[in-house]
Amino acid sequence: MWDSGRGGPRVVGLKELCFRAVRRHLACLSPSAVLDLPTPLIKDLLPHLTVCQLDELQPELNHRGISTHPGWIRVLKELYGPKAIDLHTEEEAKHEVMRMLFKLVFYGYTNPFVQRNITNLNTPSFLWAAAKCIKRFFLIASSSQPFESLTAEQRPLLNLLENHIRSVGITSCINIPTQHALYVLHRLLDHGAAEEVILNVQCPITLAWVLHGRGSQYLHPELKKLMHSKTAGCNSQIASATADSSSFSPGLETRLSEDQDGHFIPCKRSKLDSLLVENKSSKGHSTVDPQVLCRTFNPCTSPPTGVCPWGRIRCLEIRECLSDSLKVLNAALPTFFCLGSLTLHSFSTFRDSDVLGLAKALKLLYESSQSSLSHLSVSVLPYTKLMEMLLDASPKVTSLYVEIQSVMWGATHHPTTAKSALPAELPLETLTVKVAELQTDLHFITSVLRRSPHLRSLHVAGVRLPSGSSQSQLLSTLSESNLCLRSLNLEDMKLSDCLPKILHVLSSLKLEELELNDCRLLERWTDKEESLKQLVAALKTAPSLHTLGLAQNRLARNVCVLAELFSGSSPSSLKHLDISSNFIQPAELLEFAEKLRSHHPPQRLTLDLRKNPGDRDPSTWDTALKKLHPFCVVLFEGWRSTDTMVDHVSNM
């Protein structure tokens, strides 16, 4: 049989025809019709099944020791294209598929995969299956129809989301969504299990709505007006609608009774619908009070007390945090006792006054002794000194992430502040400092490190020092003061003159992860091969090390030295080796592969070869990959020779 689908005409074999028939008629077959097939045949069938079929069969297949991973990966590649890289376990791949498809189908977005499979996807069964998998729900400013459906025929789906969603993303301002959308948010945040909010819009009033009653006692003046503008009139009309619930719509009753998973009592939609229309057409704002909205949309199941619960926001992320939003947050922070994680990102550099206001609010929060805040992430700060102020204001933070970018035009005015009162010991366990400055105050960073004896993870990127200075001081501090360190990531830093200090770090610390990416390691080494051998010898003496990253270091032909990591009587226990973006050419990779074959890694090695010029000699490159395949999971995506100059510039 000829098939003229994508890619042109091709011959379709009998086996594939049978697989297509199984896909089309699986609902008419018993599960055993598939589960009783030989294992090799089931594995060949998986890429042909629909998403719902994969989800339905997965538990029984897993019980037989068969993973549905190939089926989910096939869908991922159709969604993301041929360059989609297999980095997922079965559950991770399934979650990513369901996350993407739920958003596309729920909001009615077009996508080639969705268009080809719309018959299987645009069904209540798919949305139900996807809702059981996803943990994050994004409220997107599109049409109101998706949210209206959750208050009517798809209300059982809302009940399911309420129980499964842990994180809510908001991409629209409070004056854009309909009251249906606000009601859905109320159900997820207050009645449901969601404790994380990601705000993707610059809208202070929306932020105030999220904060009010969900951990903070602060009430924004404008929000207060909106909350109470319609409450009195709305309550009396709701009472009337609730009292007359004996003549509900028969059509609605039938739909609801047919859904076994919808455990709620139908109520009179006609009066409720007219009430909503009246509210929308009234002059002024409709109420945004979640308590009133809940009694409006769901009077038959409102709590006996008439008061809904208030949720608790334990993780808050604001991705477009400008001054207006920061002022709202700063006003709420002193009473935001349940907040455990706070992430603030601005696409432009924060102003001094903004950060000082944040530091003041944080200080008030911690002085209350009721704060739960342990993770703080702020980007972008205008200079390093403000990081010290944030640490001073947050003495109990165990995880800190900051990005610092100096203002390039003109001098920055540093406000006069009291002398730092940093304690002699900080509880920091995780620290990330990313810098974009012409010159960095390394002394301050080392000072923080000396005060952080419990530090387990450190990521420092972009530190620039005056001409003639060295990063040796940073490495020496780590060896002396941070003996608990397990993960070290130094990025975009000049370390070519620091080999002795790097060797000392490896002998002093019990590192599990080491990444030295874009650090120009070989730049000043006179004998590059011999120096790299010294590094390899030191790496082999670190028995706890399982991840090594050496991306963007221009290893090129010297990559073959790394094969010695697994030679001798005490081979390295590495599980992941990243040598991407190192301008490794096919002949060099082939030599590396042949050396690795003579002394295999003791366990299967994940080898990252992305962004290396494999297309210079595709045949030799493919031969090298085949030699690596028996003992390596190779991560590689296509390379274009036109990218060579980009790679060269990125490593200069």
Side-chain angles (χ1 to χ4, degrees), residues 62-80:
N62 289 165
H63 185 68
R64 278 192 56 181
I66 302 173
S67 172
T68 56
H69 185 258
W72 299 115
I73 290 301
R74 185 264 306 173
V75 178
L76 281 177
K77 288 184 176 180
E78 291 200 47
L79 283 170
Y80 291 116

Side-chain angles (χ1 to χ4, degrees), residues 136-147:
R136 178 172 293 177
F137 180 90
F138 271 97
L139 186 143
I140 301 173
S142 60
S143 69
S144 63
Q145 192 278 328
F147 305 109

Side-chain angles (χ1 to χ4, degrees), residues 160-211:
L160 183 65
L161 291 170
E162 183 180 294
N163 292 324
H164 284 263
I165 295 300
R166 297 293 183 271
S167 175
V168 175
I170 304 173
T171 62
S172 55
C173 196
I174 204 168
N175 60 354
I176 295 177
T178 63
Q179 289 188 312
H180 296 84
L182 288 179
Y183 168 65
V184 170
L185 277 178
H186 165 62
R187 287 283 300 272
L188 297 178
L189 293 176
D190 299 324
H191 293 272
E195 294 186 333
E196 178 183 31
V197 172
I198 301 171
L199 198 62
N200 280 288
V201 62
Q202 165 56 23
C203 184
I205 198 70
T206 301
L207 176 60
W209 187 89
V210 168
L211 296 179

Side-chain angles (χ1 to χ4, degrees), residues 189-476:
L189 293 176
D190 299 324
H191 293 272
E195 294 186 333
E196 178 183 31
V197 172
I198 301 171
L199 198 62
N200 280 288
V201 62
Q202 165 56 23
C203 184
I205 198 70
T206 301
L207 176 60
W209 187 89
V210 168
L211 296 179
H212 173 60
R214 300 179 180 92
S216 170
Q217 300 170 15
Y218 172 73
L219 181 57
H220 190 275
E222 282 300 314
L223 179 63
K224 187 175 181 180
K225 294 178 183 177
L226 290 177
M227 293 277 272
H228 301 293
S229 60
K230 291 285 179 180
T231 301
C234 192
N235 277 333
S236 61
Q237 294 176 32
I238 294 168
S240 173
T242 306
D244 186 11
S245 59
S246 59
S247 55
F248 52 82
S249 166
L252 180 63
E253 179 191 22
T254 303
R255 289 198 305 271
L256 298 178
S257 62
E258 288 175 349
D259 195 325
Q260 297 177 355
D261 294 287
H263 302 296
F264 57 89
I265 303 171
C267 54
K268 188 172 181 179
R269 291 296 305 176
S270 57
K271 280 206 170 187
L272 291 176
D273 290 340
S274 63
L275 170 61
L276 292 173
V277 171
E278 182 180 339
N279 278 342
K280 289 179 182 179
S281 62
S282 300
K283 294 181 179 180
H285 297 284
S286 296
T287 183
V288 298
D289 188 334
Q291 306 278 331
V292 175
L293 288 172
C294 198
R295 293 192 294 273
T296 302
F297 286 101
N298 207 17
C300 303
T301 59
S302 57
T305 62
V307 179
C308 297
W310 287 98
R312 287 290 179 267
I313 304 301
R314 304 192 188 280
C315 182
L316 176 64
E317 181 175 347
I318 307 176
R319 293 182 176 173
E320 295 184 35
C321 190
L322 301 183
S323 293
D324 290 342
S325 291
L326 197 55
K327 287 177 182 176
V328 172
L329 176 66
N330 290 344
L333 265 179
T335 58
F336 209 162
F337 303 130
C338 66
L339 186 66
S341 174
L342 176 61
T343 299
L344 307 175
H345 176 73
S346 172
F347 291 109
S348 58
T349 305
F350 281 115
R351 299 183 305 185
D352 293 355
S353 57
D354 292 334
V355 184
L356 292 174
L358 174 63
K360 183 178 179 181
L362 287 170
K363 196 172 187 67
L364 290 172
L365 174 64
Y366 278 101
E367 285 177 351
S368 70
S369 74
Q370 300 182 54
S371 172
S372 304
L373 187 64
S374 60
H375 172 81
L376 178 62
S377 175
V378 184
S379 56
V380 180
L381 298 176
Y383 50 88
T384 310
K385 181 70 176 176
L386 290 174
M387 173 182 162
E388 184 177 4
M389 296 177 189
L390 291 176
L391 275 173
D392 185 19
S394 314
K396 296 181 182 178
V397 162
T398 59
S399 175
L400 178 66
Y401 176 104
V402 292
E403 292 184 24
I404 302 163
Q405 181 174 336
S406 294
V407 180
M408 304 300 291
W409 50 91
T412 302
H413 171 65
H414 294 195
T416 302
T417 58
K419 188 176 180 180
S420 171
L422 283 182
E425 184 175 305
L426 295 169
L428 282 177
E429 297 177 3
T430 302
L431 176 62
T432 299
V433 183
K434 295 186 177 182
V435 185
E437 294 179 315
L438 294 176
Q439 191 169 308
T440 306
D441 180 8
L442 185 60
H443 173 73
F444 169 66
I445 296 177
T446 56
S447 175
V448 171
L449 292 176
R450 291 191 186 98
R451 291 178 167 92
S452 307
H454 308 292
L455 197 67
R456 296 184 62 84
S457 176
L458 174 66
H459 184 177
V460 180
V463 172
R464 300 286 185 273
L465 300 180
S467 179
S469 300
S470 172
Q471 305 283 3
S472 295
Q473 181 186 356
L474 173 64
L475 294 166
S476 296

Side-chain angles (χ1 to χ4, degrees), residues 564-582:
E564 297 181 16
L565 281 165
F566 308 103
S567 65
S569 58
S570 300
S572 171
S573 56
L574 280 180
K575 297 178 182 177
H576 189 111
L577 176 60
D578 183 358
I579 49 176
S580 59
S581 299
N582 269 295

Side-chain angles (χ1 to χ4, degrees), residues 472 475 496-507 525 534:
S472 295
L475 294 166
S496 56
D497 60 342
C498 298
L499 180 59
K501 297 296 182 182
I502 295 174
L503 302 182
H504 186 53
V505 165
L506 286 168
S507 64
W525 292 354
Q534 292 182 43

